[in-house]
Amino acid sequence: MEQPSPTLWTKKDLIGIRELNRSEIECILDTAPQFLAVSQRASGIKKVPLLQGRLVVNWFHEPSTRTRTSFELAAKRLSADTLSMTASSSSHVKGETLHDTLANIEAMRSDIIVLRHSCAGAPHMLAADHSSHIINAGDGRHEHPTQALLDAFTMREARRKISGNPVATLDGAKVALIGDVEHSRVARSNIFALTRLGAHVTVCGPVALLPSQVEKLGVHSTTRLEEALSDADFIYALRIQKERQGSGLFPSIREYVKLFRIDRDSLRFAPDHALVLHPGPINRDLELSTEVADGSRSLVLRQVTNGVAIRMAVMHLLANSRTRQ
Ligand code: NCD
């Protein structure tokens, strides 16, 4: 395998997309294809020894299937040793602080910590005081950087395939983010990534679920699905956060389905070439119809495949970063 060049990468941690410039985002996206090739090897041996002897700790304080397994697989495909911790199985339940728990893990010589936490800012706080490389796997409503990277990678890959241009970018691509933008770390990270990569982003959802000054992030905002989809190359359905329904912010599910669901009927508003993404887990037939989720215009499973390669790229770049910031 050709060795990816980590020369452009200088950051110790991956906390958010907001802190990255375009060339740093592209550095990760351009490193991933070589790892995608590892997962698709005809020999069936889906491993490279780049992180052999290093310890990756998956530390998840919130439920997760896709992101946790994706990180674990990525670490294993880089030949790292892996350890998994959940909130309920750690000394957190006995009152230990995050700092103390991490200091103890570091005393056992961890190299990379993958942290998911309900508190926005938890990964940032730990990164400032600890020498392990910290990867944010989702912190509260703040950011979910690897999700946005795998989404941007998947859209760029589709554009390259459709145009036949192997170096096509997302410049000028039109992306519609649909649903609960206000509470979504996936939407925030995607807005930062996509706008930096030159895409035009429109956010669309019920008015109470659109952040009040979202235009300041460089996106267009509308409550009309027809308008949002009219020129979209990519339609990104966000998960309906049913857990927030009691808060009064959310219209009834029935009304949401009628006005905002991505299904065969609403896709009539979109150009024929528009493709559909979703971060998972899908509430089938609520924000996205089963027919579209499993149909030929869906990139949902491609996102999952690409997620492993993106996370391999991130771990490789961090572990080989030249400068510790
Ligand atoms: C998202 C998350 O947890 O932020 N899921 C994921 O990581 N694949 C999206 C969501 O749960 O709404």
Side-chain angles (χ1 to χ4, degrees):
M1 173 188 156
E2 193 191 321
Q3 293 288 311
S5 160
T7 46
L8 264 175
W9 190 263
T10 56
K11 288 196 157 54
K12 169 183 157 284
D13 311 289
L14 178 65
I15 305 302
I17 302 289
R18 190 174 212 153
E19 291 86 56
L20 304 184
N21 59 35
R22 179 171 180 153
S23 60
E24 288 168 325
I25 296 171
E26 286 180 335
C27 173
I28 299 171
L29 302 191
D30 293 343
T31 303
Q34 297 160 78
F35 293 117
L36 202 51
V38 171
S39 298
Q40 287 163 346
R41 278 180 179 171
S43 69
I45 301 169
K46 305 184 203 63
K47 260 185 184 240
V48 281
L50 290 170
L51 288 192
Q52 202 160 38
R54 313 250 193 152
L55 177 58
V56 175
V57 180
N58 267 320
W59 191 12
F60 277 66
H61 276 249
E62 261 190 358
S64 167
T65 315
R66 205 170 331 258
T67 307
R68 189 169 49 76
T69 49
S70 180
F71 269 110
E72 190 164 338
L73 210 55
K76 288 190 153 80
R77 289 191 177 161
L78 291 168
S79 307
D81 294 323
T82 59
L83 210 69
S84 275
M85 294 199 311
T86 57
S88 56
S89 69
S90 74
S91 295
H92 179 68
V93 289
K94 297 182 185 167
E96 189 171 57
T97 66
L98 288 180
H99 278 303
D100 282 341
T101 308
L102 183 51
N104 279 274
I105 298 170
E106 286 193 318
M108 297 181 242
R109 295 275 174 266
S110 56
D111 295 285
I112 296 176
I113 308 290
V114 179
L115 179 68
R116 170 166 288 196
H117 203 282
S118 55
C119 293
H124 176 78
M125 178 189 84
L126 291 178
D129 288 349
H130 295 269
S131 62
S132 297
H133 301 281
I134 309 283
I135 302 176
N136 179 5
D139 62 330
R141 291 192 213 166
H142 177 230
E143 281 228 37
H144 192 349
T146 57
Q147 179 69 47
L149 290 164
L150 76 89
D151 295 332
F153 182 85
T154 304
M155 292 183 221
R156 195 180 75 165
E157 178 186 61
R159 260 197 145 199
R160 289 181 173 183
K161 207 167 137 195
I162 292 162
S163 68
N165 173 3
V167 292
T169 66
L170 285 179
D171 282 301
K174 303 211 169 45
V175 184
L177 295 177
I178 314 296
D180 185 357
V181 180
E182 169 75 3
H183 301 105
S184 173
R185 54 194 174 204
V186 172
R188 274 176 62 81
S189 291
N190 261 291
I191 289 171
F192 295 134
L194 293 167
T195 52
R196 261 158 228 190
L197 292 171
H200 301 295
V201 179
T202 296
V203 297
C204 175
V207 70
L209 299 182
L210 294 178
S212 59
Q213 300 202 310
V214 71
E215 287 90 353
K216 289 201 170 150
L217 298 177
V219 304
H220 173 64
S221 145
T222 176
T223 52
R224 290 181 51 239
L225 188 62
E226 183 170 357
E227 181 190 335
L229 299 191
S230 65
D231 61 355
D233 300 307
F234 298 100
I235 300 163
Y236 196 110
L238 297 163
R239 184 175 66 88
I240 294 184
Q241 317 243 324
K242 283 199 266 183
E243 60 272 28
R244 301 192 199 279
Q245 232 214 316
S247 65
L249 282 170
F250 206 82
S252 78
I253 294 277
R254 208 152 46 134
E255 187 177 310
Y256 184 94
V257 166
K258 201 166 128 227
L259 296 175
F260 299 102
R261 178 166 77 181
I262 303 304
D263 55 24
R264 194 162 43 147
D265 287 341
S266 57
L267 277 185
R268 293 206 179 100
F269 299 141
D272 288 345
H273 68 264
L275 297 169
V276 176
L277 297 93
H278 189 292
I282 300 174
N283 294 303
R284 279 184 177 265
D285 297 319
L286 292 185
E287 68 266 6
L288 185 59
S289 72
T290 286
E291 188 185 19
V292 173
D294 300 341
S296 59
R297 295 169 75 170
S298 169
L299 293 174
V300 170
L301 292 179
R302 191 66 198 163
Q303 289 171 272
V304 178
T305 300
N306 289 340
V308 178
I310 281 288
R311 290 171 175 126
M312 288 172 81
V314 168
M315 287 195 232
H316 170 67
L317 290 168
L318 292 185
N320 290 288
S321 55
R322 295 275 181 271
T323 317
R324 295 207 142 199
Q325 284 185 354

